[in-house]
């Protein structure tokens, strides 16, 4: 007899970090604090950029979108985990799991493309300064952001539609605090070969092209900076892309270094921690990197505080 597709009747169980009762309180406080810091920090950057006309430039237009996407990304996973810890109910319905999976892949994909657009922006600013205003006009910047959203939307939709073809028969425990695509595929009793082929092909295609673009941009940037005779000019040129380079290193370092290497180790706890680094910690640190390393943001923040204090 062919196994009947039972996906419409099942729930998944998100095991999270720990099943020990004495660890639930500290985990709740830790992730609540991280979530609030992430939302507050990114909202502060958004408000500062919107309120200060000095920051109405392509670089900060991309940063505004990046901060918004980071808020959305953590809001896809952390609130559900906090509710699960608070209510001691780790179940998530099949439909909710698909929705969470879709939006997490979607927002992380947009993050990926926005970082590439920001790298190109720095490349044009440093290597072609006289043509910067012409190349990085508002229409082109809007097109880059729109393409980031559309491509990520289609990519996420493709993977989620492929998951709906699968059957889930017995084991419903996901070794994560959110519905991760690869973890969900492990629970299927259907043939997932096509799903994995799509993951490797599409992820490779959508990953290699942006990463190549980032590497090319920074190769050209460093080459141009090295040709500048003045040490002060070199430092000034490099400081304009230092914050972005830090975020790129953090994003891809956690994605490829921590997450993928831990996935090769048969340890569900290490894999869960790695996922938290990628999906929660990185969006939380982005505002600090731009605030602490970016003079324009700090100056704009001071002007915003002074206006609020004087009003």
């Amino acid at each position: 007899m062919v196994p009947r597709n039972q996906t419409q009747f099942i729930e998944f169980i998100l095991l999270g970090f720990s099943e020990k009762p004495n660890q639930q309180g500290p985990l709740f406080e830790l992730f609540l604090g991280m979530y609030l810091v992430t939302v507050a920090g990114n909202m502060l950057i958004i408000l500062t950029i919107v309120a200060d006309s000095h920051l109405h430039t392509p670089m900060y237009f991309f940063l505004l979108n990046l901060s918004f996407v980071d808020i959305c990304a953590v809001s896809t996973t952390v609130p559900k985990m906090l509710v699960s810890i608070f209510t001691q109910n780790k179940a998530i319905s099949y439909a909710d799991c698909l929705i969470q999976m879709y939006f997490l892949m979607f927002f992380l994909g947009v993050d990926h493309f926005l970082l590439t657009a920001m790298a190109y922006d720095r490349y044009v600013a440093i290597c072609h300064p006289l043509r910067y205003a012409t190349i990085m006009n508002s229409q082109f910047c809007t097109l880059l952001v729109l393409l980031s959203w559309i491509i990520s939307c289609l990519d996420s939709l493709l993977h989620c539609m492929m998951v709906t073809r699968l059957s889930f028969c017995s084991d419903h425990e996901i070794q994560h605090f959110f519905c991760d695509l690869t973890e969900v595929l492990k629970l299927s009793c259907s043939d997932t070969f096509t799903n994995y082929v799509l993951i490797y092909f599409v992820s490779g295609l959508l990953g290699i092209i942006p990463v190549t673009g980032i590497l090319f941009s920074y190769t050209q940037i460093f080459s141009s900076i090295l040709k500048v005779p003045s040490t002060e000019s070199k430092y000034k040129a490099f400081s304009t892309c230092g914050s972005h380079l830090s975020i790129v290193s953090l994003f891809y370092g956690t994605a490829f270094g921590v997450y993928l290497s831990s996935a090769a180790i048969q340890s569900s706890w290490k894999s869960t921690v790695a996922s938290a680094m990628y999906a929660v910690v990185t969006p939380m640190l982005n505002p600090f990197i731009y605030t602490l390393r970016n003079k324009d943001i700090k100056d704009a923040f001071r002007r915003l505080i002074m206006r609020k204090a004087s009003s």
Side-chain angles (χ1 to χ4, degrees):
M1 178 180 291
V2 178
R4 183 167 56 94
N5 190 325
Q6 302 179 29
T7 53
Q8 64 267 38
F9 305 114
I10 68 169
E11 288 182 331
F12 292 111
I13 306 297
L14 299 172
L15 295 182
F17 286 90
S18 174
E19 298 182 8
K20 298 179 181 179
N22 62 322
Q23 295 180 352
Q24 299 302 303
L27 283 174
F28 182 87
E29 294 172 359
L30 173 64
F31 279 92
L32 177 61
M34 293 171 67
Y35 179 68
L36 293 177
V37 168
T38 303
V39 173
N42 283 288
M43 279 299 299
L44 184 60
I45 286 183
I46 292 173
L47 293 174
T48 302
I49 293 174
V50 170
D52 198 302
S53 60
H54 296 88
L55 300 182
H56 293 176
T57 63
M59 180 173 70
Y60 295 108
F61 172 69
F62 292 132
L63 177 59
L64 183 149
N65 280 272
L66 184 69
S67 296
F68 174 74
V69 170
D70 283 342
I71 292 174
C72 294
V74 295
S75 298
T76 303
T77 57
V78 177
K80 171 59 182 175
M81 182 185 64
L82 294 175
V83 171
S84 298
I85 294 175
F86 186 77
T87 61
Q88 294 298 303
N89 180 13
K90 297 185 177 182
I92 181 171
S93 69
Y94 174 73
D96 288 343
C97 185
L98 277 179
I99 292 170
Q100 187 184 70
M101 187 191 309
Y102 169 81
F103 280 109
L104 184 62
M105 289 190 293
F106 171 57
F107 290 126
L108 291 179
V110 176
D111 249 4
H112 183 58
F113 289 111
L114 285 176
L115 290 175
T116 307
M118 294 170 77
Y120 180 72
D121 172 75
R122 292 299 84 204
Y123 159 71
V124 176
I126 293 174
C127 300
H128 305 284
L130 299 180
R131 299 172 56 198
Y132 179 76
T134 304
I135 297 174
M136 300 303 296
N137 56 70
S138 58
Q139 292 85 357
F140 181 64
C141 293
T142 303
L143 177 63
L144 289 179
V145 172
L146 188 61
L147 285 175
S148 300
W149 285 74
I150 292 174
I151 295 173
S152 299
C153 175
L154 295 176
D155 176 48
S156 304
L157 186 62
L158 173 64
H159 291 302
C160 288
M161 289 181 65
M162 292 298 294
V163 171
T164 60
R165 299 170 56 253
L166 304 177
S167 298
F168 300 88
C169 302
S170 57
D171 186 12
H172 301 155
E173 293 185 347
I174 299 176
Q175 303 289 335
H176 272 298
F177 63 93
F178 63 88
C179 287
D180 180 71
L181 174 61
T182 55
E183 292 296 323
V184 171
L185 292 181
K186 291 177 183 177
L187 304 182
S188 175
C189 54
S190 304
D191 182 11
T192 57
F193 176 77
T194 305
N195 296 76
Y196 282 109
V197 169
L198 277 174
I199 290 174
Y200 293 130
F201 176 76
V202 177
S203 299
L205 182 64
L206 298 183
I208 291 174
I209 294 176
V211 169
T212 302
I214 292 174
L215 291 176
F216 171 79
S217 297
Y218 275 104
T219 299
Q220 297 300 310
I221 288 171
F222 291 143
S223 177
S224 297
I225 291 176
L226 291 175
K227 294 177 183 178
V228 177
S230 170
T231 304
E232 183 180 350
S233 298
K234 287 181 180 179
Y235 175 78
K236 184 178 180 180
F238 183 75
S239 65
T240 62
C241 56
S243 299
H244 175 258
L245 188 58
S246 300
I247 288 181
V248 167
S249 302
L250 180 64
F251 184 84
Y252 290 106
T254 52
F256 294 112
V258 181
Y259 187 79
L260 296 181
S261 63
S262 65
I265 302 172
Q266 298 302 316
S267 171
S268 60
W269 186 84
K270 289 183 179 180
S271 181
T272 305
V273 171
S275 299
M277 286 288 295
Y278 181 55
V280 181
V281 177
T282 299
M284 181 185 69
L285 294 179
N286 286 353
F288 292 99
I289 293 174
Y290 260 98
T291 301
L292 297 176
R293 296 180 59 90
N294 192 296
K295 183 177 181 297
D296 292 337
I297 289 287
K298 289 189 285 188
D299 291 343
F301 183 53
R302 292 192 191 99
R303 289 193 292 268
L304 180 62
I305 293 177
M306 291 175 63
R307 283 203 301 268
K308 293 297 181 182
S310 60
S311 61

